[in-house]
Amino acid sequence: MSSTEQGTSSAAPAEPTTAPESAAAPEVPESFYYVHGKDKVVHKVSAGALQHSALIHGMISNLGYTEEQAKANPFPFENIDGDILQMVVDWCNQHKGKPTPPEDTNLPKQKEKLFDLVLAVNYLEIKELLTYCCKQVAMMVKGKSPEEIREIWMIPTDAEDEAAEKEAKKRAGKEAAGETAAAAGDAK
Amino acid sequence: MILSKYPYVIQKEILDNMEYSDLFMFSFVSKKMKKVIKSSQMDRFNSISSIVYECDRTDQSWVCISKKWIEIMRIVKHEEGGNGYFQLNVCGKTIDFRQTSFHIPFIPKLQNVSFCVDFHLFGDRAKNGTTNFTEMEKLEKFFCSSPVLKSIKVSAGTSTAPFNPESKFYQTESVESEQDTLIFPAILSHFQGRQAFIRCHSCEIFNLIEFINRWKSGRALQKLEYLQIEIFEPELRPNQILNAVAAKQMNATSQPATHIVPKIYNWLYSKPNTDPIISHAYVVRETDSRVASVQIQDNTLSFGVWNKTEEEFLKMVS
């Protein structure tokens, strides 16, 4: 398993403060967690950055892991491609502790990447990023004709929908018949 | 990217972020998607109280969501041989669309939607050398191909030609017309709707008498609930009109009932109800004995139809 460490605050310059040094509250050390996607590449992310994800935040809120325990137990997200998880981690780090801007222009322009990012973000429950992504998906069809929209979002025609529905019904019928036959066989 | 592979919650979020014009185009992609749009955008659509067709001197109306002034589309002239057109079937009519605008020469008939149109019929002096409205033919075509409207508000200078007596304009449920220079409001003769509010320069007394007599005969104006006509000249002499229509008078000692009905459409800055008619004079329709109160004051004739026979009406006021 390879490992990259990202989002650590140790290398970052200290935040400027106007309060006298002697009166400053003691800094609470930031805790870190580890996540990996389908490619098993581990990303180190601060708890602050992970707060954007309701799913992960819920998972870690009661763990109380030590640094060693967290490192030894990275959260596996096998359903998310490595490069997509990287994007999500980058976004969470960039927006850690900051109010989210009304727009985000750094989202992928490629359709397939954006599609996967939307699914990942929805799974990880990152509401603001999901809104940005969906805005971007909506923008893809701005000013387009119905046929162009169909092509961009690969939407079946009415005839194709009807055929698929018929096929699904037929399959369901066959499965039901199979189950009945199996049940009758068991009874014998 | 296959949109249908997204869970509903994502599909909804995407649709929530689409503009109305894009949603409109998207609704033509497939029946299934149209259903998704309808179900997911219910709140958004329910918040639309009306659609405004805003005309300007370019003769290319903007279609906007009322109050918010969000543009949905623009109605433009079809350019012969123009590029980028595609055809869509809207409510059974084939319409040419363009990427950013399209030609829609009528108001489509939509279930549960009624249309109220505010017309300002004035000519373009720079273009036609007159401020008189000269495009009646075009307006007639519009009425001909549109569903019967709920309410029309018209302000106009002089029109070169009146509406065709058979025009669907006269079938409009409610008409509010202000034509300061108009001599005879043809609406008195042809109106088939429920409420009419007319302000015009002048009207011959016999036209008013004829209007009341036509209602009395039951041959026309069967749906009429309320009509008010205010004229500048000549001076209306109440007795002359009331005698001519053989109006009946309630007992002078009895308190006349007040006729007042809610307006079919309450235009901005107008009152929600009709002006009250408090009059002893009334006429009776020959075909069903229905009563209408008649009031003439301030050079205004007000005519309010009761949902009562003469017997019921007199019982009510006695």
Side-chain angles (χ1 to χ4, degrees):
Chain A
M1 184 188 291
S2 61
S3 171
T4 59
E5 292 200 351
Q6 300 186 21
T8 59
S9 60
S10 56
E15 289 289 315
T17 173
T18 51
E21 215 167 289
S22 58
E27 265 188 37
V28 179
E30 194 167 21
S31 49
F32 289 89
Y33 292 88
Y34 297 80
V35 294
H36 74 75
K38 211 182 269 180
D39 62 356
K40 310 285 187 201
V41 175
V42 175
H43 305 268
K44 182 182 179 184
V45 202
S46 70
L50 286 176
Q51 275 195 341
H52 283 291
S53 164
L55 178 80
I56 303 177
H57 183 66
M59 287 161 79
I60 63 175
S61 54
N62 293 315
L63 279 177
Y65 271 176
T66 61
E67 177 76 22
E68 284 70 33
Q69 283 172 318
K71 205 166 191 173
N73 298 289
F75 294 113
F77 296 109
E78 304 284 356
N79 54 343
I80 301 175
D81 282 340
D83 56 341
I84 298 295
L85 189 62
Q86 174 81 65
M87 281 183 214
V88 175
V89 167
D90 288 348
W91 188 90
C92 290
N93 281 325
Q94 277 166 20
H95 297 88
K96 185 177 82 173
K98 291 181 198 161
T100 47
E103 270 182 34
D104 198 320
T105 49
N106 294 324
L107 298 174
K109 299 284 181 282
Q110 295 158 280
K111 272 196 318 183
E112 295 317 317
K113 284 268 176 271
L114 185 59
F115 179 80
D116 291 342
L117 181 62
V118 170
L119 288 176
V121 166
N122 182 55
Y123 178 72
L124 296 170
E125 297 177 53
I126 306 175
K127 199 173 177 318
E128 293 94 340
L129 186 51
L130 181 65
T131 304
Y132 293 143
C133 290
C134 288
K135 260 186 201 171
Q136 179 115 337
V137 176
M139 284 299 289
M140 284 177 163
V141 298
K142 190 172 169 52
K144 297 281 190 283
S145 71
E147 272 317 302
E148 288 169 322
I149 298 175
R150 183 194 305 289
E151 209 172 290
I152 294 166
W153 284 346
M154 300 168 83
I155 294 165
T157 60
D158 288 339
E160 286 167 341
D161 276 336
E162 277 165 28
E165 208 174 306
K166 262 186 198 168
E167 188 58 39
K169 268 185 191 166
K170 207 191 271 179
R171 210 179 310 124
K174 270 184 189 170
E175 278 170 14
E179 276 172 23
T180 315
D186 287 347
K188 278 179 188 175
Chain B
M1 176 178 286
I2 304 173
L3 191 79
S4 55
K5 290 206 170 169
Y6 280 140
Y8 177 80
V9 65
I10 298 181
Q11 290 186 18
K12 183 179 181 320
E13 183 75 31
I14 293 169
L15 298 182
D16 285 349
N17 282 288
M18 284 173 75
E19 291 176 13
Y20 287 105
S21 52
D22 295 322
L23 278 178
F24 180 67
M25 282 295 160
F26 187 33
S27 70
F28 290 99
V29 173
S30 78
K31 286 179 189 164
K32 206 171 174 181
M33 281 300 127
K34 195 172 180 176
K35 267 189 200 167
V36 174
I37 295 170
K38 276 186 172 179
S39 61
S40 69
Q41 301 299 299
M42 195 66 83
D43 290 347
R44 201 168 164 198
F45 294 154
N46 280 345
S47 71
I48 302 172
S49 59
S50 60
I51 302 291
V52 173
Y53 286 66
E54 177 77 5
C55 299
D56 58 21
R57 295 220 180 275
T58 61
D59 197 25
Q60 301 187 344
S61 321
W62 292 104
V63 184
C64 308
I65 307 282
S66 176
K67 291 180 186 161
K68 297 176 193 163
W69 295 104
I70 300 167
E71 288 158 20
I72 306 173
M73 62 185 83
R74 191 164 198 197
I75 301 166
V76 298
K77 274 185 187 161
H78 190 294
E79 290 169 17
E80 286 306 322
N83 291 324
Y85 284 98
F86 52 92
Q87 292 191 324
L88 293 176
N89 185 313
V90 184
C91 305
K93 290 212 180 192
T94 303
I95 297 178
D96 288 338
F97 289 77
R98 253 183 11 214
Q99 296 286 18
T100 51
S101 55
F102 54 86
H103 180 62
I104 176 171
F106 72 105
I107 292 180
K109 191 168 186 174
L110 301 172
Q111 275 186 343
N112 303 324
V113 178
S114 50
F115 292 95
C116 300
V117 183
D118 187 354
F119 290 103
H120 296 260
L121 306 180
F122 294 91
D124 185 346
R125 185 182 284 282
K127 196 172 149 192
N128 305 322
T130 174
T131 52
N132 289 348
F133 183 68
T134 55
E135 299 186 89
M136 280 304 285
E137 202 181 324
K138 198 186 272 184
L139 196 57
E140 285 282 22
K141 265 189 196 165
F142 166 84
F143 281 111
C144 185
S145 50
S146 301
V148 171
L149 303 180
K150 182 175 177 179
S151 181
I152 287 177
K153 193 174 171 193
V154 191
S155 56
T158 46
S159 60
T160 48
F163 281 108
N164 182 322
E166 303 298 320
S167 172
K168 266 162 89 178
F169 167 80
Y170 294 118
Q171 294 174 28
T172 308
E173 286 187 65
S174 168
V175 173
E176 295 191 23
S177 154
E178 192 168 319
Q179 290 175 275
D180 287 347
T181 53
L182 188 68
I183 305 301
F184 164 65
I187 192 168
L188 280 181
S189 306
H190 310 297
F191 188 55
Q192 296 163 49
R194 291 162 53 201
Q195 295 180 4
F197 307 81
I198 307 159
R199 253 184 96 199
C200 65
H201 183 267
S202 59
C203 176
E204 295 297 334
I205 302 293
F206 74 84
N207 289 136
L208 296 176
I209 293 168
E210 192 186 65
F211 153 74
I212 297 175
N213 281 335
R214 285 177 67 242
W215 181 84
K216 277 178 69 182
S217 73
R219 281 184 283 115
L221 301 155
Q222 282 100 342
K223 290 186 202 162
L224 189 71
E225 290 172 359
Y226 182 89
L227 181 136
Q228 183 184 59
I229 176 167
E230 181 185 350
I231 60 174
F232 292 107
E233 61 179 30
E235 190 185 338
L236 294 183
R237 282 174 292 171
N239 287 342
Q240 182 190 0
I241 297 172
L242 295 175
N243 289 340
V245 299
K248 297 184 176 184
Q249 293 286 337
M250 285 164 45
N251 188 337
T253 56
S254 60
Q255 178 66 31
T258 303
H259 182 282
I260 186 165
V261 286
K263 285 188 180 173
I264 286 169
Y265 185 72
N266 186 17
W267 289 95
L268 196 61
Y269 307 124
S270 80
K271 293 175 280 186
N273 295 321
T274 57
D275 288 337
I277 301 173
I278 306 168
S279 171
H280 284 93
Y282 69 94
V283 288
V284 181
R285 188 153 62 191
E286 289 159 12
T287 47
D288 57 4
S289 293
R290 286 272 286 274
V291 169
S293 291
V294 185
Q295 177 177 280
I296 301 162
Q297 64 180 38
D298 302 327
N299 241 36
T300 302
L301 169 84
S302 302
F303 189 85
V305 180
W306 292 89
N307 192 16
K308 292 189 184 318
T309 61
E310 186 178 17
E311 194 183 338
E312 291 165 340
F313 176 74
L314 292 174
K315 205 180 277 177
M316 177 180 75
V317 295
S318 61

